[in-house]
Each structure stands twice: as structure tokens, then as C-alpha cells.
């Protein structure tokens, strides 16, 4: 059995091994002049490299969006999380999923920062590894059976996830999760909240912050969500489902 914590460690190691160079920011810097590139060496939390080249998900998710999203937005969550825990050495050895899953146990002066910045770091780390060039194929038979039992069909799950993603007001995420009873559910969260905080186990998150799609899709969030389904790595989602059940 792989625990949630072990899974994240394994996943991060695999990601680091698979890709050893972060693509240059280059033209991206001109597009976001209000954001300085954050330092990533200031604390225990580290920005994982993208597990594929920035253009791997073209044409569904464009390279410029990927570079800015990873190198700037995700990097900022990591840098801000490091800043938040700088005065709390007891938190520096804990994993980000542990922190986000146990917000209530944290000192009050860092709880909101960990919720937002730690959530941002965790959500994006999982998001990158939920996507794959040439993804979009259906999951395996065992997982499909569980999906059929809950949603009626794989197509109905996609409809439910799409409706959830399109329906998020403002910034947030749509999720396929396993709830406390072991039932598959579709849910959404505002901002960078993660289902772990409520005791659910996230299997797949779809980022519907405008920074995830605006360069290519502008206000057409529905088109972006439709496109994401072409690059979802259902094998990884299925692996998380197996691990979460164990
Ligand atoms: Mn994002």
C-alpha cells in the first residue's frame, strides 16, 4: 500500500528524474511585468520541474501559458509558502500535503498563508502530473467500473467535472475526489483550497483560475476545460484512486 505521503514523495522523485531543465522564461517576462521572478532557494519547499517540456500539451494548453503558469505562478506559491513558515521551524520538516490536510493544527498566524500558498503549491504539483501528452484515453476497466457505479458512465463523469469546472465562480478548482466513505465525488473549491482539508482524497484537479487559460482561451473557460480532457493522464488518476482506497 502506498500512503498519500509516500505517493507524493515517489511522484516528486519521478518528476525530478524525468526532466532536469526548466524552460527559459524569455518572452513570458514581458507578459507579466508586475510579477518579479521569486527566489526558490529560501526554504524547505521546492518548485518541482514540469514533468514534460512546456510545449508538450500543445495545442490544448499552449507553451507560453505553461511557462508562465509554472515558472511564475507556481513558483510564487512556493516562495510565499517558504516565507510563511520561515518563523515556524516546526513546520519546515512537514510535507505540504500534511500541512494542507491539517490546517486546523497550525498556528493561527500562518494558517491562512498555508491554506492559500501551500494549497497553491500542492494543487499545481498534482496538476502537472495529472496531464500528459497524448493523454485523454479512458481509464482501465477496474476504475471505469467504479466510475460507472457512481456516475453512470465515463461520459457522465466528464459532464459532471466539466459542469463543476465551468460553474466555479471566480478562481478555483474542480475535482474528482474520493470522499471519507470511499465514494467517488465531483466537487469544486474556491481559490487554492484542496479537498484534503475537508478529509477527502483528491484524484484529479482542474485549475480554472484565469491564469490557467486566458492567454489562449480568453474568457472561454468551457473551451479550455474541453481541451484539458485531451491531455488528462487517466493512468495517474487511476493510480491515485488505488492508493487512496488502500
Ligand atoms: Mn494555477
Amino acid at each position: 500500500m502506498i500512503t498519500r505521503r509516500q505517493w507524493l514523495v515517489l511522484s516528486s522523485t519521478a518528476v525530478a528524474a524525468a526532466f532536469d531543465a526548466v524552460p527559459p522564461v524569455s518572452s513570458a517576462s514581458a507578459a507579466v511585468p508586475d510579477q518579479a521572478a521569486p527566489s526558490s532557494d529560501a526554504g524547505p519547499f521546492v518548485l518541482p520541474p514540469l514533468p514534460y517540456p512546456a510545449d508538450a500539451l500543445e495545442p490544448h494548453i499552449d507553451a507560453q501559458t505553461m511557462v508562465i503558469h509554472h515558472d511564475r505562478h507556481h513558483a510564487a506559491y512556493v516562495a510565499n509558502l517558504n516565507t510563511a513558515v520561515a518563523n515556524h521551524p516546526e513546520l519546515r520538516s512537514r510535507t505540504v500535503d500534511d500541512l494542507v490536510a491539517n490546517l486546523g493544527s497550525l498556528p493561527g498566524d500562518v494558517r491562512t498563508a498555508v491554506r492559500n500558498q501551500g494549497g497553491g503549491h500542492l494543487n499545481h504539483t498534482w496538476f502537472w502530473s495529472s496531464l500528459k501528452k497524448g493523454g485523454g484515453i479512458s481509464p482501465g476497466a477496474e476504475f471505469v467500473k467504479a466510475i460507472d457505479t457512481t456516475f453512470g458512465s465515463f461520459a457522465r463523469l466528464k459532464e459532471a467535472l466539466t459542469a463543476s469546472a465551468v460553474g466555479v465562480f471566480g478562481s478555483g478548482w474542480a475535482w474528482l475526489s474520493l470522499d471519507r466513505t470511499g465514494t467517488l465525488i465531483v466537487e469544486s473549491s474556491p481559490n487554492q483550497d484542496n479537498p484534503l482539508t475537508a478529509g477527502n482524497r483528491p484524484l484529479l484537479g482542474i485549475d480554472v483560475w484565469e491564469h490557467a487559460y486566458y492567454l489562449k482561451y480568453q474568457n472561454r473557460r468551457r473551451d479550455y476545460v474541453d481541451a484539458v480532457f485531451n491531455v488528462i493522464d487517466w493512468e495517474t488518476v487511476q493510480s491515485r484512486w488505488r492508493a487512496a482506497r488502500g
Side-chain angles (χ1 to χ4, degrees):
M1 181 187 107
I2 299 176
T3 66
R4 183 167 66 217
R5 202 170 299 183
Q6 286 167 334
W7 179 88
L8 197 66
V9 170
L10 286 169
S11 168
S12 301
T13 306
V15 162
F19 195 69
D20 60 5
V22 176
V25 174
S26 62
S27 61
S29 40
V32 280
D34 56 331
Q35 293 191 10
S39 158
S40 62
D41 59 357
F45 299 100
V46 176
L47 177 68
L50 279 176
Y52 32 68
D55 63 355
L57 307 180
E58 292 265 14
H60 308 292
I61 304 178
D62 60 291
Q64 188 184 28
T65 294
M66 289 296 291
V67 169
I68 295 173
H69 200 171
H70 175 272
D71 293 8
R72 296 186 171 253
H73 291 279
H74 189 173
Y77 294 120
V78 173
N80 292 335
L81 177 61
N82 283 327
T83 299
V85 301
N87 295 323
H88 290 277
E90 77 280 9
L91 302 182
R92 294 170 60 89
S93 60
R94 290 172 65 177
T95 61
V96 66
D97 51 325
D98 178 28
L99 295 177
V100 169
N102 298 287
L103 285 180
S105 73
L106 304 182
D109 65 317
V110 293
R111 198 173 298 148
T112 298
V114 170
R115 176 180 179 179
N116 293 332
Q117 312 299 339
H121 175 32
L122 179 62
N123 293 348
H124 286 88
T125 300
W126 287 40
F127 185 54
W128 310 133
S129 58
S130 301
L131 305 177
K132 173 186 172 181
K133 181 185 182 68
I137 57 165
S138 299
E142 188 192 5
F143 191 32
V144 164
K145 191 177 170 190
I147 289 169
D148 287 350
T149 300
T150 304
F151 299 100
S153 68
F154 185 63
R156 297 283 283 276
L157 164 62
K158 286 174 70 170
E159 286 174 15
L161 259 175
T162 299
S164 178
V166 171
V168 171
F169 182 75
S171 298
W173 293 72
W175 303 93
L176 173 65
S177 305
L178 207 60
D179 74 8
R180 291 167 177 272
T181 70
T183 302
L184 287 168
I185 58 169
V186 166
E187 60 181 332
S188 65
S189 68
N191 306 313
Q192 295 295 352
D193 287 358
N194 184 290
L196 283 174
T197 305
N200 294 335
R201 305 289 293 273
L203 308 178
L204 168 67
I206 299 177
D207 187 347
V208 293
W209 284 57
E210 284 187 344
H211 68 226
Y213 62 86
Y214 208 85
L215 286 176
K216 182 176 173 70
Y217 295 96
Q218 293 83 48
N219 61 321
R220 303 187 311 277
R221 184 191 285 182
R222 171 66 194 249
D223 291 352
Y224 154 75
V225 173
D226 286 345
V228 166
F229 278 103
N230 293 314
V231 290
I232 290 175
D233 181 356
W234 284 103
E235 275 185 30
T236 291
V237 178
Q238 179 174 256
S239 297
R240 292 172 182 166
W241 172 72
R242 289 205 181 104
R245 287 197 311 163

